[in-house]
Amino acid sequence: MLNPEGLKVAGYVDVAKRIIDLALFGAAQNRSYRRLADFTDTIGNRVSGSKNLEKAINYMYDAMRQDGLDVHLEPVKIPHWVRGEESAEMIEPRPKHLAMLGLGSSVGTPPEGITAEVLVVQSFEELKRRAGEAAGKIVVFNQPFVSYSETVAYRAFGASEAAKVGALATLIRSITPFSINSPHTGWQDYQNGVKQIPTACITVEDAELMARMAQRGQRIVVRLTMGAKTLPDADSFNTVAEIKGWQHPEQVVLLSGHLDSWDVGQGAMDDGGGAMISWEALSLIKDLRLRPRRTLRVVLWTAEEQGGVGAQQYYNLHKVNVSNFDLVMESDLGTFTPLALQFTGSDAARMVMEEVVKLLAPINVTRLESHGEGTDISPWMETGVPGASLHVADDRYFWFHHTEGDTMTVQDPREMDLCSALWAVVAYVVADLQEMLPR
């Protein structure tokens, strides 16, 4: 027998089907993909602090207003790191160009670069063991890829760990399970009180090459040149679009993705797709002339890549209303074929969400998994607001992540329609239920 939650949610079978039909077969078919292509082809990449990010925010503000949504901008301060000219060359044992990308927040080298012998290590433990060999060298980390969440520690902390033992710079094997000589950038964190040294990612291939050379006992010398610098914080905005609730406009279901990207590729996958399906969810609901009890609010975050900077400021501004936030949703792991909805919340809320995902039977995504995730929604979840994210077929996500390869070519229109339909059904139904999700 259906529990009371199930009975309430089951009443949405027809509306869920209408949303799904519009997204997959109706006038909205391929729309989120087209919007993403228009946006990324027009703007390109848009790193925190750049003119391009400013253009991107203005573009989305205008586009969502033209779509008939209620749109406003909320000012925030964001980091402004500039890559500058950069290169890496192996000089010994033979000349070879090394494909590289400096890491976000890295300092630059002197104008003439740093030319030094290389010490190759596989792990932080090996670096500690061989600390006596590191002084005056460029440390190359050739750590194996275990998982993104585990291996990314080398990108984040490699420079400071190497600086502690006297290294002049670090080159870090890109955080990816697959490579065609593609370097992957990303943010890195200097530790307080530790000398700041230049740091960049190199390719899996070149890290392994130097590891083999070192194993043979060959002397490796590299010249690294980086013009990177950090400028004063820049002005930016979180971009907010809404459909106001008819009964409880002060209560909010929040859907989100981030608008900034790295300064390579097009930022189509990370996270243009997440931003577009969040806008598309509101478009689908508006096109069907649906209006939920509570407000549906899309936030397109700024400066996520620097550690959720825009989102933290949004939280600080709005946390006084934390009791009115019903559900926070974020898509930032790709918009490929959806497999499940990930959810963090109380057992009672989970029971409601189990019923909500049953409405996705027409697209065969009825699984609810634990652990909703997202850098930008984590402050809300930490205070007990239920959170949701998409689990997609993301086996190839980290192949393209933070590289020149993150372009429209990795996106698929039907996969984006499926994600948009899921996002819209979940957001609308939760926003329209009699009660907020139980904490």
Side-chain angles (χ1 to χ4, degrees):
M1 193 183 113
L2 275 177
N3 59 31
E5 269 78 31
L7 281 169
K8 286 178 210 149
V9 174
Y12 290 93
V13 167
D14 288 345
V15 75
K17 181 128 180 28
R18 285 169 60 207
I19 292 170
I20 289 166
D21 284 348
L22 177 59
L24 265 71
F25 312 111
Q29 188 183 16
N30 299 347
R31 182 168 64 187
S32 56
Y33 177 90
R34 278 201 312 275
R35 285 173 166 175
L36 179 61
D38 290 349
F39 170 68
T40 56
D41 292 349
T42 302
I43 305 290
N45 57 52
R46 40 203 184 276
V47 74
S48 180
S50 66
K51 281 272 171 269
N52 268 16
L53 178 56
E54 219 172 287
K55 283 184 198 159
I57 291 165
N58 291 332
Y59 180 108
M60 290 303 292
Y61 175 81
D62 291 341
M64 293 194 296
R65 282 192 71 177
Q66 278 167 15
D67 193 32
L69 299 171
D70 191 356
V71 190
H72 70 272
L73 300 175
E74 300 189 4
V76 289
K77 286 279 189 199
I78 61 171
H80 189 189
W81 175 82
V82 181
R83 176 177 304 284
E85 292 291 312
E86 57 182 19
S87 66
E89 306 287 333
M90 184 163 71
I91 296 163
E92 293 179 37
R94 65 177 172 88
K96 183 187 188 299
H97 167 73
L98 304 174
M100 56 81 80
L101 283 171
L103 292 174
S105 84
S106 179
V107 295
T109 64
E112 68 279 8
I114 293 170
T115 304
E117 200 176 324
V118 162
L119 170 68
V120 183
V121 296
Q122 299 268 1
S123 64
F124 290 133
E125 292 68 43
E126 184 180 356
L127 179 66
K128 284 197 182 76
R129 264 201 327 274
R130 301 179 65 186
E133 300 171 57
K137 294 208 173 91
I138 293 173
V139 169
V140 169
F141 284 98
N142 179 39
Q143 75 289 339
F145 182 85
V146 181
S147 68
Y148 184 75
S149 56
E150 203 171 314
T151 313
V152 76
Y154 286 89
R155 185 188 84 202
F157 310 123
S160 287
E161 290 305 314
K164 287 174 190 172
V165 291
L168 299 180
T170 50
L171 295 174
I172 292 152
R173 170 175 158 157
S174 287
I175 315 301
T176 181
F178 174 82
S179 180
I180 44 172
N181 208 47
S182 42
H184 296 236
T185 190
W187 194 248
Q188 70 91 37
D189 288 300
Y190 287 125
Q191 289 166 38
N192 288 337
V194 178
K195 184 170 163 34
Q196 299 188 353
I197 62 173
T199 180
C201 265
I202 55 171
T203 68
V204 171
E205 291 86 341
D206 286 338
E208 291 186 339
L209 169 69
M210 287 190 274
R212 290 192 302 273
M213 287 173 164
Q215 243 166 354
R216 294 184 195 115
Q218 290 174 291
R219 179 171 186 265
I220 307 165
V221 177
V222 164
R223 179 168 55 242
L224 175 67
T225 312
M226 290 172 61
K229 55 180 185 289
T230 298
L231 302 175
D233 282 357
D235 292 313
S236 189
F237 300 92
N238 290 316
T239 309
V240 183
E242 292 184 332
I243 294 175
K244 280 268 192 286
W246 63 266
Q247 189 177 14
H248 304 292
E250 75 289 354
Q251 296 173 2
V252 176
V253 168
L254 184 148
L255 312 88
S256 68
H258 65 88
L259 212 49
D260 66 298
S261 72
W262 278 104
D263 55 344
V264 289
Q266 281 185 297
M269 177 190 82
D270 182 17
D271 181 34
M276 289 301 152
I277 67 162
S278 297
W279 169 23
E280 181 65 25
L282 260 59
S283 289
L284 291 166
I285 289 156
K286 178 188 58 65
D287 291 351
L288 291 168
R289 295 192 167 79
L290 297 168
R291 193 174 167 202
R293 288 171 200 278
R294 289 175 203 84
T295 294
L296 286 171
R297 178 180 299 164
V298 166
V299 184
L300 306 179
W301 312 108
T302 190
E304 183 276 342
E305 294 293 0
Q306 288 60 41
V309 176
Q312 187 59 55
Q313 290 170 74
Y314 180 88
Y315 174 75
N316 295 342
L317 187 64
H318 295 281
K319 65 184 177 192
V320 9
N321 300 315
V322 68
S323 62
N324 279 326
F325 280 74
D326 188 6
L327 175 67
V328 289
M329 301 162 63
E330 178 168 20
S331 166
D332 187 21
L333 275 169
T335 46
F336 305 124
T337 303
L339 305 174
L341 185 73
Q342 298 165 320
F343 179 74
T344 296
S346 65
D347 290 345
R350 174 166 294 280
M351 280 174 69
V352 178
M353 295 305 290
E354 291 277 8
E355 299 301 326
V356 172
V357 293
K358 287 178 186 170
L359 301 171
L360 299 167
I363 56 169
N364 207 20
V365 194
T366 55
R367 200 159 83 236
L368 189 72
E369 294 174 347
S370 55
H371 187 57
E373 62 181 312
T375 301
D376 301 299
I377 59 172
S378 57
W380 298 97
M381 293 193 294
E382 280 158 25
T383 57
V385 177
S389 52
L390 278 177
H391 177 190
V392 298
D394 57 6
D395 346 338
R396 295 181 311 151
Y397 181 80
F398 290 109
W399 296 13
F400 304 104
H401 182 252
H402 297 181
T403 72
E404 289 289 2
D406 179 354
T407 66
M408 279 308 295
T409 301
V410 306
Q411 296 294 136
D412 177 87
R414 181 168 170 84
E415 291 174 357
M416 288 190 70
D417 288 346
L418 289 166
C419 290
S420 301
L422 182 157
W423 225 217
V425 169
V426 170
Y428 175 76
V429 173
V430 171
D432 199 56
L433 291 171
Q434 290 281 346
E435 306 292 330
M436 282 178 66
L437 291 172
R439 296 275 160 106

